[in-house]
Amino acid sequence: MDDVTGGTNDPGGTPLVELVDVQKHFGDLHVLKDINLTVRKGEVVVVIGPSGSGKSTLCRTINRLEPIDSGSIRVDGAELPEEGKALARHRADVGMVFQSFNLFAHRSVLDNVTLGPVKARGIPAAEAKAEAMTLLERVGVANQAHKLPAALSGGQQQRVAIARSLAMHPKVMLFDEPTSALDPEMINEVLDVMIDLAHEGTTMIVVTHEMGFARKAADRVVFMADGQIVEEATPEEFFTAPRSARAKDFLSKILTH
Amino acid sequence: MIDLSPLSDAVGTLFSDYDVLAAFWMTVKLTGFSLVGSLVLGTLLAVMRVSPIPSLQLGGAIYVNLVRNTPLTLIIVGCSLGLYTQLGLVLANPSSGTFIVDQNFRLAVVGLSLYHAAFVCEALRSGVNTVPLGQAEAARSIGLTFTQSLVLVVLPQAFRGAVAPLGNVIIALTKNTTVAATIGVAEASYLMKVMIEFRPDVLFLIFGVFALGFVCLVLPVGILMTALSRRLAVAR
Ligand SMILES: Nc1ncnc2c1ncn2[C@@H]1O[C@H](COP(=O)(O)OP(=O)(O)OP(=O)(O)O)[C@@H](O)[C@H]1O
Ligand SMILES: [Mg+2]
């Protein structure tokens, strides 16, 4: 790829997110099995796999919305804190974009973006507001800044959610199926914002079935099935010549749709 | 035409012999102070019950289930006999000429607040249930602490979702202030009993006046809360 991130796939890049031997159960269900994954600074990793394979759970463990049973997760060299203020600080460094947007329904779009910087980082309100407006401009919804989220289309809401995460200047951004809840005509406006972010060198872990995004922006595709990482490859390799039977089977299903 | 003048004469003498408005004013004051008390305590209890700390959850649950299932009369009398007579809790200035009146009023406010806090707590909890889980997750994911998520994101939406059930609590509270009569607080129903004792000849008229009085107090509360719950409803 000839984008500006240049060399993001360089094996010598600094590891930013490291998961080592991560195990996670929900009751009897073993949802994450021996997960080992390293994401380097500036790298864009797409996670793909059948429903129930543990993709969301994987994302959620990285900012500890779900605790893990054993193994270790490090972000920028530091082990995830267990509780309290340290955990809140960690989460401020890890952006998360949800499938269902989850904008604060009682606050204006602008307040949604400034709340974190002001309350979690202690940035002065005027400064936070100015930056929020710049971010909203960047994702193309600045003219909606004073509306409530419910007044916006799904695509606009998701772009606000991205701006809200960016306002925290996270070290890594997690996206859990950010376009799955959107009407087809709104998917691209969100993907375009994400592709821009990727090209600017943002470290991203993206759960998505959007192959177009994976091909344009991803450095690596991670294929999960039954709680395990079954295959890792470049997007080109993965989509044209998957190695595992599970991946072949999965791809044949999503390609026919 | 029916001649209404005997009726209006009777109403006229009732209102000049007895201070009905003062009695209703006492009802309003009891309601107002107890409302503030029960909102504060009830919010605290709701926070305990939704907190992730098991001992707080348990404390909140025990309080609510004990208090909610105890008759209000027992609680009010308990406040008077227990807190004051037994434990000597003094809430008013003992050397003032109105000590007994003030003391009883304040004990009644304490009792009413303790009782209705349990209902406020449950109304708020039902409000918390109207807030999708994703709201709290998004709050935590931008680095807000548990308390910040609760105060900035969950509770403001919970209050909006709880307006209608809170309205019911206020209506019940207004009417329940009549129990304060049992410890001698001169609110509306207390005066009603006095009037019935001295003017049994106009019994139904007296009932009518007080029933109407309560309807006039409570009806606007209901209308206001319904309008508020529509206006404040969180669009999703
Ligand atoms: N909170 C929970 N409690 C119990 N089981 C859960 C919980 N969350 C997820 N699971 C189960 O864990 C498994 C993995 O779920 P997860 O949401 O991570 O899958 P996914 O790969 O994201 O699937 P999808 O493509 O449907 O979003 C599923 O079987 C799911 O039912
Ligand atoms: Mg999922």
Side-chain angles (χ1 to χ4, degrees):
Chain A
M1 272 183 0
D2 58 354
D3 61 50
V4 293
T5 52
T8 50
N9 213 4
D10 168 11
T14 344
L16 189 62
V17 180
E18 296 161 279
L19 290 90
V20 180
D21 294 331
V22 170
Q23 310 285 350
K24 162 91 189 163
H25 290 78
F26 282 121
D28 288 340
L29 191 67
H30 199 170
V31 270
L32 295 180
K33 301 175 188 159
D34 312 311
I35 299 291
N36 286 285
L37 179 70
T38 301
V39 179
R40 293 181 197 84
K41 205 165 184 303
E43 204 179 6
V44 176
V45 171
V46 159
V47 180
I48 197 166
S51 180
S53 56
K55 308 179 298 292
S56 296
T57 309
L58 177 71
C59 255
R60 293 163 58 84
T61 57
I62 297 174
N63 68 356
R64 213 165 191 284
L65 284 176
E66 296 290 354
I68 56 175
D69 301 340
S70 65
S72 97
I73 300 179
R74 280 192 297 273
V75 173
D76 209 8
E79 196 73 30
L80 294 202
E82 295 264 316
E83 296 294 338
K85 290 230 157 64
L87 179 58
R89 267 195 301 276
H90 162 79
R91 288 195 179 121
D93 284 341
V94 178
M96 176 114 189
V97 174
F98 301 85
Q99 181 175 352
S100 48
F101 329 134
N102 295 348
L103 293 178
F104 306 131
H106 64 306
R107 296 284 197 124
S108 72
V109 162
L110 182 60
D111 287 349
N112 264 273
V113 183
T114 57
L115 194 67
V118 172
K119 300 293 177 180
R121 295 242 198 256
I123 289 172
E127 198 179 308
K129 190 177 160 187
E131 199 196 348
M133 285 312 296
T134 314
L135 286 169
L136 289 172
E137 195 77 56
R138 181 165 153 199
V139 299
V141 284
N143 55 346
Q144 318 279 334
H146 298 288
K147 293 188 182 163
L148 285 176
L152 273 59
S153 74
Q156 289 171 328
Q157 289 191 50
Q158 194 60 300
R159 285 181 283 149
V160 174
I162 293 174
R164 174 174 70 180
S165 285
L166 288 175
M168 301 303 291
H169 298 284
K171 292 173 179 162
V172 52
M173 293 269 286
L174 310 171
F175 295 80
D176 187 5
E177 303 207 34
T179 57
S180 308
L182 297 177
D183 291 335
E185 74 271 19
M186 291 171 190
I187 290 177
N188 280 331
E189 66 192 43
V190 172
L191 290 180
D192 287 345
V193 170
M194 291 169 58
I195 290 170
D196 286 346
L197 285 179
H199 289 178
E200 284 159 20
T202 315
T203 311
M204 295 162 68
I205 299 176
V206 185
V207 177
T208 185
H209 292 169
E210 294 292 335
M211 279 191 289
F213 172 81
R215 282 174 185 272
K216 277 193 210 123
D219 299 299
R220 187 151 46 113
V221 172
V222 168
F223 175 71
M224 282 186 78
D226 294 330
Q228 278 173 313
I229 294 180
V230 176
E231 189 165 338
E232 286 187 61
T234 64
E236 200 53 42
E237 279 167 352
F238 181 76
F239 292 116
T240 52
R243 295 186 301 266
S244 62
R246 292 295 306 259
K248 279 179 196 149
D249 180 50
F250 174 74
L251 283 174
S252 73
K253 277 180 191 138
I254 64 166
L255 288 174
T256 52
H257 281 292
Chain B
M1 278 246 328
I2 307 163
D3 185 10
L4 286 174
S5 61
L7 183 68
S8 67
D9 285 353
V11 172
T13 29
L14 274 182
F15 273 83
S16 61
D17 290 353
Y18 299 96
D19 201 343
V20 177
L21 287 183
F24 269 110
W25 178 235
M26 181 59 84
T27 298
V28 170
K29 280 197 294 184
L30 274 177
T31 308
F33 284 108
S34 310
L35 179 61
V36 173
S38 53
L39 279 177
V40 171
L41 183 58
T43 306
L44 236 125
L45 286 166
V47 167
M48 285 169 71
R49 293 204 74 177
V50 302
S51 81
I53 303 161
S55 58
L56 288 185
Q57 285 174 10
L58 185 70
I62 291 178
Y63 181 97
V64 167
N65 287 301
L66 272 184
V67 170
R68 202 170 46 163
N69 296 313
T70 307
L72 176 57
T73 314
L74 230 73
I75 290 177
I76 299 277
V77 172
C79 279
S80 176
L81 294 180
L83 292 181
Y84 176 42
T85 318
Q86 283 293 322
L87 301 175
L89 178 72
V90 173
L91 297 171
N93 178 6
S95 53
S96 100
T98 56
F99 169 66
I100 291 295
V101 172
D102 293 348
Q103 174 76 3
N104 284 343
F105 174 79
R106 289 173 195 180
L107 284 170
V109 167
V110 168
L112 287 165
S113 301
L114 289 177
Y115 180 74
H116 291 92
F119 294 89
V120 167
C121 168
E122 293 308 279
L124 276 181
R125 267 202 332 142
S126 76
V128 169
N129 289 336
T130 67
V131 184
L133 192 61
Q135 294 285 308
E137 289 193 337
R140 287 191 285 156
S141 81
I142 57 167
L144 299 182
T145 59
F146 175 80
T147 316
Q148 285 176 323
S149 309
L150 200 62
V151 172
L152 296 169
V153 175
V154 179
L155 280 182
Q157 295 184 52
F159 270 111
R160 289 155 189 254
V163 171
L166 279 176
N168 292 336
V169 175
I170 300 175
I171 289 170
L173 168 62
T174 312
K175 296 186 291 183
N176 286 345
T177 54
T178 53
V179 176
T182 46
I183 60 168
V185 178
E187 45 70 62
S189 77
Y190 184 89
L191 181 65
M192 186 180 80
K193 275 175 222 145
V194 173
M195 285 165 74
I196 289 171
E197 201 174 323
F198 290 97
R199 296 295 306 275
D201 53 316
V202 284
L203 179 71
F204 286 108
L205 182 61
I206 294 172
F207 270 134
V209 164
F210 282 95
L212 192 68
F214 270 101
V215 170
C216 288
L217 275 186
V218 171
L219 204 60
V221 174
I223 294 172
L224 183 77
M225 296 306 274
T226 309
L228 261 185
S229 79
R230 282 213 196 96
R231 248 196 70 146
L232 293 179
V234 184
R236 300 199 188 277

